[in-house]
Amino acid sequence: MDEFIQRYVAAGQTSLANYLLDHFREVGMTTDQLLIYLQLRRYMDQGTSLPDADEIAAHLGWDKQRVYQLLHEMISHKLMTITTVTDSQGQKQDAYDFRLLTERLSQLAVQETHQEVKQAATNERSTVFNAIEREFGRPLSPLEMESISDWLDKDNYKPELIQLALKEAVLSQAYSLKYMDRILLSWEKKHLTTAVQVQKERERQEPRHAAKPTNQPGGSDIPDVPIFKLTDN
């Protein structure tokens, strides 16, 4: 057992990114090519920049011609290249280079991030539509759906701001997109673009609301909506 442990430790370990294992197919690498990569990575980690195809074939139980074919495929599919490097003794030699593979993986990560952002935006949009339908107690008409889409896409109102306007409309028992639109416009005129900014503005105006006479004549084009905390349910 001690001899085995010594051999096990002496053989060393090969470092492999789990991201590659998760996404090797998505960057165009086959399972056989991945096995070739693992063998190449093993030798490269041990300091051999251009491993011998015969040794790789022996480890995998394949013939050398198959190894050469897979290496050629990986180069033609731009998963790797062969470059010239200078060793520690100043000698130039050929080496396998996997920077193209790393670049593909990085591009894939960027695409995943964009997809996640897009999906998050889609989820937020659905949340807004569902919340309005739930509070109004009815399905939205195509015209109403278009108006809400304009809030999001043309006016660039944040979903949280639209939901806050919905909450104020519900508290005023005004189940109308026109009423919500007046609220949103009033916030836009005050350059309030987030729910936090709206709350701070409400808190700033709270003393004025308390001092305002209840029988004051006249009205305003902007809805007089109740003050509430964002943590209210």
Side-chain angles (χ1 to χ4, degrees):
M1 186 66 179
D2 290 340
E3 182 180 353
F4 164 73
I5 293 176
Q6 291 177 0
R7 289 187 177 185
Y8 185 89
V9 173
Q13 297 183 9
T14 300
S15 176
L16 181 66
N18 288 332
Y19 194 85
L20 173 60
L21 291 177
D22 291 337
H23 301 285
F24 73 93
R25 289 185 178 276
E26 296 170 57
V27 296
M29 180 180 281
T30 67
T31 303
D32 286 350
Q33 290 170 352
L34 177 63
L35 290 175
I36 291 289
Y37 172 82
L38 290 173
Q39 291 296 328
L40 293 177
R41 189 80 265 169
R42 165 201 178 182
Y43 281 100
M44 293 169 69
D45 287 349
Q46 293 173 347
T48 304
S49 57
L50 197 72
D52 185 84
D54 286 326
E55 294 185 22
I56 294 176
H59 287 304
L60 295 174
W62 298 344
D63 61 76
K64 183 172 65 175
Q65 195 60 36
R66 184 179 181 186
V67 172
Y68 278 131
Q69 179 183 348
L70 289 167
L71 290 172
H72 176 73
E73 289 176 358
M74 293 172 72
I75 293 174
S76 62
H77 295 164
K78 300 187 183 306
L79 295 173
M80 72 174 188
T81 57
I82 297 178
T83 59
T84 301
V85 297
T86 303
D87 61 20
S88 57
Q89 283 76 37
Q91 300 293 324
K92 291 186 177 181
Q93 57 183 358
D94 290 337
Y96 289 116
D97 187 332
F98 289 100
R99 281 179 291 184
L100 289 177
L101 174 60
T102 303
E103 183 178 342
R104 283 200 178 187
L105 289 170
S106 68
Q107 292 173 351
L108 181 64
V110 171
Q111 292 173 4
E112 286 182 336
T113 300
H114 288 169
Q115 291 173 354
E116 290 172 358
V117 171
K118 185 177 180 180
Q119 185 61 45
T122 300
N123 292 341
E124 287 183 337
R125 182 182 294 263
S126 298
T127 300
V128 168
F129 279 91
N130 292 337
I132 295 175
E133 286 187 334
R134 182 173 62 252
E135 295 296 347
F136 283 15
R138 59 174 176 79
L140 293 168
S141 69
L143 185 61
E144 288 175 323
M145 295 178 71
E146 183 178 352
S147 296
I148 298 169
S149 294
D150 286 344
W151 287 345
L152 293 163
D153 301 328
K154 295 182 179 180
D155 300 319
N156 294 318
Y157 293 142
K158 290 182 172 60
E160 65 172 21
L161 207 64
I162 296 175
Q163 293 203 65
L164 187 58
L166 172 64
K167 187 170 186 178
E168 294 208 4
V170 170
L171 289 174
S172 296
Q173 297 185 343
Y175 301 95
S176 164
L177 291 189
K178 290 184 178 180
Y179 191 88
M180 290 176 60
D181 191 55
R182 290 167 61 191
I183 295 173
L184 291 167
L185 284 174
S186 71
W187 291 340
E188 184 178 1
K189 290 177 182 179
K190 296 177 181 179
H191 306 289
L192 306 176
T193 60
T194 67
V196 172
Q197 290 175 340
V198 170
Q199 181 60 38
K200 288 182 178 179
E201 177 66 13
R202 289 299 185 200
E203 291 173 351
R204 187 182 68 82
Q205 292 185 359
E206 189 170 11
R208 294 171 54 189
H209 280 269
K212 182 178 178 180
T214 56
N215 59 347
Q216 181 177 347
S220 173
D221 292 336
I222 299 175
D224 187 13
V225 294
I227 301 171
F228 60 90
K229 300 293 184 181
L230 294 180
T231 54
D232 290 348
N233 294 323

